[in-house]
Amino acid sequence: MKGLEMRDVPEAGGSFGLVVLLGAAVWLGMAAGSWSGWPQLGVIEVLFLLAPWIVVPLATSLIPSLDDSQPLTGRQRASKWVIFAAAGLATFSFFLPAGMGAASFAGAWLLVCAVFALRGLRRLWRYRVHSFSQFCFAIGEAYLIVGGTWLVASRMGLQPVGFQEPIVLLTAVHFHFAGFLSAVLAGLSYERLRETRWSKPLGVALMAVVVGPGLLGLAFLVGPKVKLAAVMLIVIGQFGLATGMVRVALGIANPVGRAMLILSSGCVVAGMALAASWALGEYPLQPFVDLGRMERFHGALNAVGFGVCGLIGWMNASRGRGTAAVALWGRKD
Protein backbone atom coordinates (compact mmCIF):
# COMPACT_ATOMS: atom_id res chain seq x y z
CA MET A 1 0.00 0.00 0.00
CA LYS A 2 1.24 3.46 -0.71
CA GLY A 3 1.46 6.02 2.04
CA LEU A 4 2.65 9.53 2.60
CA GLU A 5 6.16 10.76 3.14
CA MET A 6 6.89 11.65 6.76
CA ARG A 7 8.24 15.00 5.63
CA ASP A 8 4.61 15.86 4.80
CA VAL A 9 3.59 15.41 8.44
CA PRO A 10 3.46 18.94 9.84
CA GLU A 11 5.23 19.91 13.02
CA ALA A 12 3.31 21.48 15.89
CA GLY A 13 4.34 25.08 15.69
CA GLY A 14 3.21 28.63 15.08
CA SER A 15 -0.31 29.40 16.21
CA PHE A 16 -0.99 25.76 16.97
CA GLY A 17 2.02 25.66 19.29
CA LEU A 18 0.69 28.71 21.13
CA VAL A 19 -2.78 27.16 21.38
CA VAL A 20 -1.29 23.99 22.90
CA LEU A 21 0.86 25.94 25.38
CA LEU A 22 -2.10 28.03 26.53
CA GLY A 23 -4.28 24.92 26.72
CA ALA A 24 -1.64 23.13 28.78
CA ALA A 25 -1.50 26.07 31.20
CA VAL A 26 -5.29 26.06 31.60
CA TRP A 27 -5.47 22.30 32.10
CA LEU A 28 -2.59 22.18 34.58
CA GLY A 29 -4.25 24.97 36.55
CA MET A 30 -7.53 23.04 36.70
CA ALA A 31 -5.76 19.79 37.62
CA ALA A 32 -3.81 21.46 40.42
CA GLY A 33 -6.92 23.26 41.63
CA SER A 34 -8.99 20.08 41.65
CA TRP A 35 -6.29 18.39 43.70
CA SER A 36 -6.51 21.17 46.30
CA GLY A 37 -10.30 21.30 46.32
CA TRP A 38 -11.20 24.03 43.83
CA PRO A 39 -12.50 23.84 41.17
CA GLN A 40 -14.61 20.86 42.12
CA LEU A 41 -13.85 18.55 39.21
CA GLY A 42 -13.59 14.79 39.50
CA VAL A 43 -10.87 12.58 38.05
CA ILE A 44 -12.93 11.71 34.97
CA GLU A 45 -13.73 15.34 34.22
CA VAL A 46 -10.08 16.38 34.55
CA LEU A 47 -8.92 13.52 32.31
CA PHE A 48 -11.58 14.29 29.71
CA LEU A 49 -10.61 17.97 29.56
CA LEU A 50 -7.06 16.96 28.70
CA ALA A 51 -8.46 16.06 25.26
CA PRO A 52 -9.87 19.42 24.12
CA TRP A 53 -7.14 21.50 25.77
CA ILE A 54 -4.04 19.54 24.76
CA VAL A 55 -4.48 16.17 23.04
CA VAL A 56 -6.76 17.07 20.15
CA PRO A 57 -4.93 20.30 19.15
CA LEU A 58 -1.52 18.61 19.35
CA ALA A 59 -2.59 15.38 17.64
CA THR A 60 -4.34 17.16 14.79
CA SER A 61 -1.23 19.27 14.20
CA LEU A 62 0.64 16.02 13.51
CA ILE A 63 -1.94 14.62 11.08
CA PRO A 64 -1.08 15.32 7.42
CA SER A 65 -3.34 17.93 5.91
CA LEU A 66 -5.64 16.99 3.06
CA ASP A 67 -4.49 20.19 1.34
CA ASP A 68 -0.77 19.77 2.00
CA SER A 69 0.15 21.31 -1.34
CA GLN A 70 -1.15 24.68 -0.21
CA PRO A 71 0.27 27.02 2.43
CA LEU A 72 -1.55 27.40 5.72
CA THR A 73 -4.43 29.78 5.14
CA GLY A 74 -5.80 32.40 7.49
CA ARG A 75 -8.95 30.32 7.91
CA GLN A 76 -6.91 27.28 8.95
CA ARG A 77 -4.95 29.35 11.45
CA ALA A 78 -8.19 30.76 12.85
CA SER A 79 -9.59 27.25 13.27
CA LYS A 80 -7.01 26.59 15.96
CA TRP A 81 -8.48 29.37 18.05
CA VAL A 82 -11.95 28.00 17.40
CA ILE A 83 -10.76 24.75 19.01
CA PHE A 84 -9.41 26.76 21.94
CA ALA A 85 -12.73 28.59 22.40
CA ALA A 86 -14.73 25.35 22.14
CA ALA A 87 -12.49 23.77 24.78
CA GLY A 88 -13.26 26.71 27.08
CA LEU A 89 -17.00 26.35 26.56
CA ALA A 90 -16.85 22.60 27.15
CA THR A 91 -14.94 23.24 30.37
CA PHE A 92 -17.53 25.78 31.54
CA SER A 93 -20.25 23.16 31.01
CA PHE A 94 -18.82 21.12 33.90
CA PHE A 95 -19.46 23.99 36.30
CA LEU A 96 -23.17 23.98 35.49
CA PRO A 97 -25.73 21.43 36.67
CA ALA A 98 -26.54 18.76 34.11
CA GLY A 99 -29.25 19.97 31.78
CA MET A 100 -29.92 21.96 28.65
CA GLY A 101 -27.63 24.85 29.63
CA ALA A 102 -24.59 22.65 30.27
CA ALA A 103 -25.29 20.62 27.12
CA SER A 104 -25.46 23.83 25.05
CA PHE A 105 -21.95 24.82 26.10
CA ALA A 106 -20.67 21.28 25.55
CA GLY A 107 -22.29 21.39 22.11
CA ALA A 108 -19.55 23.78 20.96
CA TRP A 109 -17.05 20.95 21.32
CA LEU A 110 -19.41 18.58 19.51
CA LEU A 111 -19.41 20.97 16.54
CA VAL A 112 -15.60 20.88 16.47
CA CYS A 113 -15.72 17.09 16.60
CA ALA A 114 -18.21 17.08 13.72
CA VAL A 115 -15.83 19.14 11.56
CA PHE A 116 -13.02 16.67 12.25
CA ALA A 117 -15.33 13.75 11.49
CA LEU A 118 -16.22 15.29 8.12
CA ARG A 119 -12.53 15.68 7.40
CA GLY A 120 -12.08 12.03 8.29
CA LEU A 121 -14.75 11.05 5.78
CA ARG A 122 -13.05 13.15 3.11
CA ARG A 123 -9.74 11.49 3.94
CA LEU A 124 -11.29 8.03 3.77
CA TRP A 125 -12.94 8.83 0.43
CA ARG A 126 -9.72 10.21 -1.05
CA TYR A 127 -7.39 7.39 -0.03
CA ARG A 128 -9.84 4.48 0.38
CA VAL A 129 -7.71 1.34 0.86
CA HIS A 130 -4.54 2.75 -0.71
CA SER A 131 -2.96 4.08 2.48
CA PHE A 132 -3.23 2.33 5.85
CA SER A 133 -1.80 5.36 7.63
CA GLN A 134 -4.48 7.62 6.18
CA PHE A 135 -7.10 5.02 7.12
CA CYS A 136 -5.91 5.26 10.74
CA PHE A 137 -6.10 9.06 10.69
CA ALA A 138 -9.56 9.00 9.09
CA ILE A 139 -11.06 6.57 11.60
CA GLY A 140 -9.49 8.50 14.46
CA GLU A 141 -11.07 11.74 13.28
CA ALA A 142 -14.42 9.97 12.89
CA TYR A 143 -14.26 8.69 16.49
CA LEU A 144 -14.27 12.28 17.75
CA ILE A 145 -17.90 12.85 16.87
CA VAL A 146 -18.86 9.78 18.91
CA GLY A 147 -16.92 11.12 21.87
CA GLY A 148 -18.44 14.59 21.44
CA THR A 149 -21.95 13.16 21.30
CA TRP A 150 -21.48 11.25 24.56
CA LEU A 151 -20.06 14.40 26.18
CA VAL A 152 -23.25 16.30 25.32
CA ALA A 153 -25.36 13.38 26.57
CA SER A 154 -23.42 13.46 29.84
CA ARG A 155 -23.88 17.21 30.33
CA MET A 156 -27.54 16.91 29.40
CA GLY A 157 -27.98 14.29 32.12
CA LEU A 158 -29.19 11.66 29.67
CA GLN A 159 -28.87 7.89 30.13
CA PRO A 160 -28.38 6.55 26.58
CA VAL A 161 -29.46 2.90 26.21
CA GLY A 162 -29.73 2.72 30.00
CA PHE A 163 -26.14 3.71 30.85
CA GLN A 164 -25.67 6.05 33.79
CA GLU A 165 -22.80 8.20 35.00
CA PRO A 166 -19.89 7.79 35.15
CA ILE A 167 -20.19 5.39 32.19
CA VAL A 168 -21.64 8.09 29.93
CA LEU A 169 -18.73 10.49 30.44
CA LEU A 170 -16.25 7.59 30.44
CA THR A 171 -17.53 6.71 26.96
CA ALA A 172 -16.68 10.24 25.83
CA VAL A 173 -13.20 9.78 27.32
CA HIS A 174 -12.86 6.38 25.63
CA PHE A 175 -13.53 7.67 22.12
CA HIS A 176 -11.22 10.68 22.55
CA PHE A 177 -8.26 8.68 23.83
CA ALA A 178 -8.60 4.97 22.96
CA GLY A 179 -10.38 5.97 19.75
CA PHE A 180 -8.99 9.19 18.28
CA LEU A 181 -5.58 9.44 19.95
CA SER A 182 -4.62 5.78 19.55
CA ALA A 183 -5.58 5.80 15.88
CA VAL A 184 -3.44 8.90 15.25
CA LEU A 185 -0.42 7.35 16.99
CA ALA A 186 -1.04 4.13 15.06
CA GLY A 187 -0.99 6.02 11.76
CA LEU A 188 2.22 7.85 12.64
CA SER A 189 3.91 4.63 13.77
CA TYR A 190 2.93 2.67 10.69
CA GLU A 191 4.11 5.43 8.39
CA ARG A 192 7.56 5.37 9.96
CA LEU A 193 7.86 1.58 9.61
CA ARG A 194 5.82 0.88 6.47
CA GLU A 195 8.88 0.15 4.33
CA THR A 196 10.50 -2.20 6.85
CA ARG A 197 10.07 -5.91 7.36
CA TRP A 198 7.92 -5.15 10.39
CA SER A 199 5.14 -3.47 8.41
CA LYS A 200 2.87 -6.50 7.93
CA PRO A 201 2.72 -7.75 11.55
CA LEU A 202 2.56 -4.17 12.76
CA GLY A 203 -0.33 -3.46 10.39
CA VAL A 204 -2.31 -6.38 11.82
CA ALA A 205 -1.79 -5.16 15.39
CA LEU A 206 -2.62 -1.58 14.48
CA MET A 207 -5.84 -2.65 12.79
CA ALA A 208 -6.90 -3.96 16.21
CA VAL A 209 -5.97 -0.56 17.71
CA VAL A 210 -8.11 1.28 15.17
CA VAL A 211 -11.25 -0.89 15.10
CA GLY A 212 -11.09 -2.08 18.72
CA PRO A 213 -12.62 1.01 20.40
CA GLY A 214 -15.65 0.91 18.12
CA LEU A 215 -16.11 -2.81 18.72
CA LEU A 216 -15.85 -2.29 22.48
CA GLY A 217 -18.55 0.37 22.34
CA LEU A 218 -20.85 -2.05 20.56
CA ALA A 219 -19.86 -4.90 22.88
CA PHE A 220 -21.30 -3.05 25.88
CA LEU A 221 -24.69 -3.50 24.25
CA VAL A 222 -24.19 -7.22 23.67
CA GLY A 223 -22.79 -8.81 26.80
CA PRO A 224 -19.75 -9.57 28.96
CA LYS A 225 -18.27 -12.25 26.71
CA VAL A 226 -18.14 -9.96 23.69
CA LYS A 227 -16.92 -7.09 25.87
CA LEU A 228 -14.07 -9.26 27.17
CA ALA A 229 -13.10 -10.22 23.60
CA ALA A 230 -13.16 -6.57 22.49
CA VAL A 231 -11.00 -5.45 25.42
CA MET A 232 -8.48 -8.21 24.71
CA LEU A 233 -8.39 -7.18 21.06
CA ILE A 234 -7.55 -3.62 22.11
CA VAL A 235 -4.93 -4.85 24.59
CA ILE A 236 -3.17 -6.95 21.95
CA GLY A 237 -3.30 -4.09 19.47
CA GLN A 238 -1.94 -1.58 21.97
CA PHE A 239 0.92 -3.92 22.85
CA GLY A 240 1.74 -4.00 19.14
CA LEU A 241 1.54 -0.20 18.97
CA ALA A 242 3.87 0.09 21.96
CA THR A 243 6.36 -2.24 20.27
CA GLY A 244 6.20 -0.20 17.09
CA MET A 245 6.73 3.07 18.95
CA VAL A 246 9.79 1.64 20.73
CA ARG A 247 11.22 0.59 17.37
CA VAL A 248 10.63 4.08 16.03
CA ALA A 249 12.17 5.62 19.17
CA LEU A 250 15.37 3.60 18.81
CA GLY A 251 15.75 4.85 15.27
CA ILE A 252 15.53 8.60 15.84
CA ALA A 253 18.29 11.00 16.83
CA ASN A 254 16.29 13.45 18.96
CA PRO A 255 16.82 12.40 22.62
CA VAL A 256 13.62 14.03 23.89
CA GLY A 257 11.55 12.34 21.20
CA ARG A 258 13.21 9.00 21.88
CA ALA A 259 12.68 9.21 25.65
CA MET A 260 9.06 10.34 25.36
CA LEU A 261 8.12 7.60 22.89
CA ILE A 262 9.66 4.92 25.12
CA LEU A 263 7.93 6.35 28.20
CA SER A 264 4.64 6.49 26.31
CA SER A 265 5.03 2.86 25.26
CA GLY A 266 5.69 1.77 28.84
CA CYS A 267 2.64 3.66 30.09
CA VAL A 268 0.30 2.10 27.54
CA VAL A 269 1.56 -1.41 28.39
CA ALA A 270 0.91 -0.77 32.11
CA GLY A 271 -2.48 0.80 31.37
CA MET A 272 -3.54 -2.09 29.15
CA ALA A 273 -2.48 -4.62 31.79
CA LEU A 274 -4.93 -2.90 34.15
CA ALA A 275 -7.61 -2.90 31.45
CA ALA A 276 -7.14 -6.63 30.89
CA SER A 277 -7.39 -7.28 34.64
CA TRP A 278 -10.58 -5.24 34.83
CA ALA A 279 -12.14 -7.00 31.84
CA LEU A 280 -11.26 -10.46 33.17
CA GLY A 281 -12.89 -9.56 36.47
CA GLU A 282 -15.99 -8.14 34.79
CA TYR A 283 -16.76 -11.42 33.05
CA PRO A 284 -17.32 -13.52 36.22
CA LEU A 285 -18.57 -10.34 37.93
CA GLN A 286 -15.74 -10.52 40.46
CA PRO A 287 -13.71 -7.44 39.51
CA PHE A 288 -9.99 -7.57 40.25
CA VAL A 289 -9.72 -3.79 39.75
CA ASP A 290 -12.62 -1.55 40.79
CA LEU A 291 -13.85 1.31 38.64
CA GLY A 292 -12.38 3.96 40.93
CA ARG A 293 -8.88 2.57 40.55
CA MET A 294 -9.37 2.22 36.82
CA GLU A 295 -10.25 5.92 36.65
CA ARG A 296 -7.19 7.02 38.59
CA PHE A 297 -4.50 4.65 37.36
CA HIS A 298 -5.59 3.38 33.94
CA GLY A 299 -6.95 6.81 33.03
CA ALA A 300 -3.81 8.67 34.06
CA LEU A 301 -1.48 6.16 32.40
CA ASN A 302 -3.37 6.33 29.11
CA ALA A 303 -4.25 10.02 29.00
CA VAL A 304 -1.09 11.59 30.41
CA GLY A 305 1.57 8.91 30.06
CA PHE A 306 0.60 7.33 26.75
CA GLY A 307 -1.18 10.31 25.21
CA VAL A 308 0.70 13.46 26.14
CA CYS A 309 4.14 11.85 26.33
CA GLY A 310 3.52 10.07 23.03
CA LEU A 311 2.49 13.27 21.27
CA ILE A 312 5.49 15.16 22.65
CA GLY A 313 7.65 12.29 21.45
CA TRP A 314 6.24 12.44 17.92
CA MET A 315 6.51 16.22 17.82
CA ASN A 316 10.23 15.99 18.62
CA ALA A 317 10.75 12.96 16.38
CA SER A 318 9.55 15.05 13.45
CA ARG A 319 12.16 17.69 14.26
CA GLY A 320 15.15 15.39 14.51
CA ARG A 321 15.03 12.47 12.15
CA GLY A 322 18.78 11.88 12.17
CA THR A 323 18.95 8.11 11.96
CA ALA A 324 15.83 6.90 10.22
CA ALA A 325 13.93 3.92 11.56
CA VAL A 326 14.02 2.45 8.07
CA ALA A 327 17.83 2.49 8.09
CA LEU A 328 18.01 0.88 11.53
CA TRP A 329 15.51 -1.90 11.04
CA GLY A 330 16.02 -2.54 7.35
CA ARG A 331 13.79 -2.23 4.35
CA LYS A 332 11.62 -5.06 3.15
CA ASP A 333 13.20 -7.43 0.74
Side-chain angles (χ1 to χ4, degrees):
M1 289 186 293
K2 67 180 181 180
L4 62 153
E5 295 297 328
M6 286 307 296
R7 63 175 178 269
D8 294 332
V9 178
E11 298 178 8
S15 59
F16 231 140
L18 179 59
V19 167
V20 172
L21 287 175
L22 290 175
V26 172
W27 184 84
L28 287 171
M30 288 189 299
S34 298
W35 183 268
S36 62
W38 192 92
Q40 292 292 336
L41 293 174
V43 174
I44 304 175
E45 287 83 357
V46 171
L47 290 177
F48 171 81
L49 289 173
L50 187 65
W53 284 116
I54 301 176
V55 168
V56 172
L58 190 53
T60 50
S61 74
L62 294 170
I63 298 175
S65 171
L66 285 172
D67 304 309
D68 50 19
S69 62
Q70 300 176 359
L72 196 64
T73 66
R75 185 175 64 180
Q76 289 171 317
R77 285 190 290 268
S79 69
K80 299 164 180 54
W81 294 104
V82 171
I83 295 174
F84 186 87
L89 293 173
T91 301
F92 184 70
S93 74
F94 286 103
F95 295 95
L96 298 175
M100 182 62 73
S104 298
F105 284 102
W109 183 249
L110 176 58
L111 291 176
V112 169
C113 293
V115 171
F116 281 120
L118 289 173
R119 191 172 77 167
L121 289 176
R122 285 180 57 208
R123 191 182 303 276
L124 196 61
W125 175 256
R126 175 177 296 184
Y127 291 94
R128 296 180 177 86
V129 297
H130 301 299
S131 170
F132 182 70
S133 301
Q134 292 284 10
F135 171 78
C136 293
F137 298 139
I139 299 302
E141 289 171 324
Y143 276 143
L144 280 177
I145 196 170
V146 184
T149 299
W150 281 82
L151 168 67
V152 171
S154 172
R155 301 314 305 133
M156 179 72 81
L158 301 178
Q159 298 180 4
V161 292
F163 291 120
Q164 300 178 356
E165 295 291 2
I167 299 300
V168 181
L169 184 55
L170 280 173
T171 304
V173 174
H174 171 76
F175 280 102
H176 277 78
F177 289 94
F180 166 72
L181 174 62
S182 292
V184 171
L185 296 183
L188 293 171
S189 299
Y190 183 82
E191 195 55 40
R192 274 296 177 96
L193 298 171
R194 67 184 174 87
E195 294 184 356
T196 71
R197 61 180 178 271
W198 306 102
S199 62
K200 288 185 179 179
L202 180 65
V204 172
L206 296 184
M207 180 61 77
V209 171
V210 174
V211 304
L215 293 177
L216 179 59
L218 295 174
F220 268 83
L221 304 175
V222 178
K225 291 183 179 180
V226 181
K227 182 168 67 174
L228 174 60
V231 170
M232 291 306 169
L233 180 67
I234 293 175
V235 169
I236 293 170
Q238 293 283 9
F239 282 1
L241 174 57
T243 302
M245 287 172 60
V246 169
R247 292 191 180 281
V248 171
L250 296 177
I252 62 176
N254 187 291
V256 175
R258 183 166 57 247
M260 288 293 101
L261 288 178
I262 292 174
L263 177 59
S264 174
S265 300
C267 287
V268 75
V269 168
M272 287 301 107
L274 279 173
S277 299
W278 172 78
L280 288 170
E282 283 281 293
Y283 174 56
L285 300 179
Q286 296 177 352
F288 303 127
V289 183
D290 62 53
L291 190 59
R293 290 179 181 175
M294 281 291 292
E295 292 172 8
R296 294 191 299 273
F297 299 111
H298 171 80
L301 284 168
N302 273 351
V304 180
F306 171 57
V308 175
C309 291
L311 290 170
I312 293 173
W314 277 109
M315 181 179 67
N316 284 276
S318 299
R319 290 174 177 170
R321 293 185 179 87
T323 305
V326 170
L328 180 65
W329 297 104
R331 293 181 178 272
K332 292 186 290 187
D333 295 330

